[in-house]
Amino acid sequence: MRALILLGLVGFAAQLVDGSLGMAYGVTSTTLLLAVGTNAAAASATVHLAEIGTTLASGVAHWRFNNIDWKVVAKIGVPGAVGAFAGATFLSSLSTEVAAPIMSLILLSLGAYILIRFTAFGLPRGNLGKPLRKRFLAPLGLLAGFVDATGGGGWGPVGTPAILASGRLQPRKVIGSIDASEFLVALAASIGFLVGIGSENIDYAWVGVLLLGGVIAAPIAAWLVRHIPPRILGSAVGGVIILTNVRTLLRSDWIDASGGVQAIAYLAIAALWAAAIAYSVREYRRDKVAESVEGVEVELGRREGEGERTPV
């Protein structure tokens, strides 16, 4: 029972992050399942089955808050589903000993990307309003879907930053569109896993509690996406993913590091993680000040243009 309650809380927290950041539900949940010794394919299958419900709830919530561009959903979602089915069948064919460290490497890479991307660069906002082409979204969806199924997560970490980097869509619209299209990805990946490993290898109680936690968090996250600083959240989530998957790799047969080496690695990651969050907080505050100054300058310019006398 304690394990189920913990999984429910993880599902809630993961969806809260995913719905407000556009990524990390699968990466966070799969990381935990791997940490407690779950088979790699079964872990990814469990998360994707839960995501069928959480992504549907998240999509509805984002739709109600007008956070979705349906053209983007159509252009990226179908290729994403194709890639997810291919990734699920590929992962199902690997042995547990080979799959677990490979998945941890994928998750570690995604965690590092999230940490670096949001800490160092924040959210680009140039080119707003320009259309996103199918020739860009279709290959992106195919790659993100494949990575998502093989890594137990990756649709958001691959898709969200790529679209944000284009600067052509408002951040809340990027997050809402990625979350809505993930329903197709989760459905296709789940079918692929059921074909590849069968239903007997999946714990449906775990699926249920992950789903319940995610469904409860979905509307809260859709509201938070308008208020929470994504830069700070991205740095925080990236550090959690890195730390957990480094732990899995250091304890795997590939490395089998000693206790002393593990402790040094954890301390180094924790120090880097704390520095990244502190930097993100500082840059976020600096950006807010710059936006305030720019707003004042625009208002003063407007008043001068109208012939108003501004106070000295």
Side-chain angles (χ1 to χ4, degrees):
M1 179 58 72
R2 291 178 62 185
L4 292 178
I5 293 174
L6 176 61
L7 280 173
L9 293 173
V10 167
F12 179 88
Q15 182 57 45
L16 200 62
V17 171
D18 187 275
S20 54
L21 188 60
M23 63 181 73
Y25 180 89
V27 177
T28 304
S29 301
T30 304
T31 292
L32 176 69
L33 292 178
L34 283 180
V36 299
T38 307
N39 172 284
S44 188
T46 299
V47 169
H48 280 93
L49 281 167
E51 280 186 319
I52 293 175
T54 60
T55 53
L56 180 61
S58 184
V60 170
H62 278 297
W63 167 68
R64 290 175 64 87
F65 282 97
N66 194 30
N67 292 338
I68 297 176
D69 185 320
W70 291 106
K71 292 181 180 179
V72 172
V73 172
K75 291 175 182 177
I76 199 173
V78 174
V82 173
F85 182 84
T89 53
F90 170 74
L91 183 62
S92 299
S93 66
L94 298 178
S95 67
T96 302
E97 291 76 14
V98 173
I102 289 177
M103 182 180 283
S104 288
L105 279 173
I106 294 173
L107 293 169
L108 176 60
S109 301
L110 292 173
Y113 181 75
I114 293 171
L115 180 69
I116 294 170
R117 181 70 184 81
F118 282 87
T119 300
F121 303 106
L123 293 173
R125 297 178 183 273
N127 299 319
L128 273 177
K130 294 182 180 179
L132 285 159
R133 304 295 184 185
K134 187 176 181 179
R135 63 174 177 267
F136 166 70
L137 291 175
L140 175 64
L142 192 67
L143 172 64
F146 185 85
V147 171
D148 186 84
T150 54
W155 178 251
V158 175
T160 299
I163 299 178
L164 282 174
S166 72
R168 299 190 174 201
L169 198 62
Q170 295 176 10
R172 66 181 181 86
K173 293 269 188 178
V174 175
I175 293 168
S177 301
I178 285 291
D179 273 14
S181 58
E182 193 172 9
F183 171 76
L184 298 175
V185 175
L187 183 62
S190 297
I191 294 172
F193 283 119
L194 290 174
V195 171
I197 65 175
S199 60
E200 65 276 3
N201 293 309
I202 301 172
D203 190 326
Y204 287 97
W206 289 19
V207 173
V209 292
L210 282 172
L211 171 59
L212 179 62
V215 168
I216 294 172
I220 302 172
W223 176 82
L224 280 176
V225 73
R226 294 171 173 265
H227 306 285
I228 197 167
R231 184 168 197 160
I232 298 172
L233 187 57
S235 298
V237 172
V240 172
I241 295 167
I242 291 171
L243 186 63
T244 309
N245 285 285
V246 164
R247 174 181 176 274
T248 299
L249 285 169
L250 289 177
R251 295 185 176 189
S252 70
D253 292 337
W254 284 14
I255 300 177
D256 193 21
S258 65
V261 171
Q262 291 184 43
I264 292 173
Y266 300 153
L267 288 173
I269 293 170
L272 178 64
W273 183 18
I277 293 176
Y279 180 82
S280 291
V281 170
R282 188 186 71 181
E283 291 302 304
Y284 170 73
R285 289 176 174 172
R286 181 179 295 177
D287 289 343
K288 294 298 289 183
V289 170
E291 288 176 6
S292 299
V293 171
E294 183 180 353
V296 170
E297 291 176 347
V298 170
E299 178 64 18
L300 289 174
R302 184 187 66 80
R303 290 183 179 183
E304 290 176 355
E306 293 175 353
E308 293 182 13
R309 180 172 298 178
T310 57
V312 179

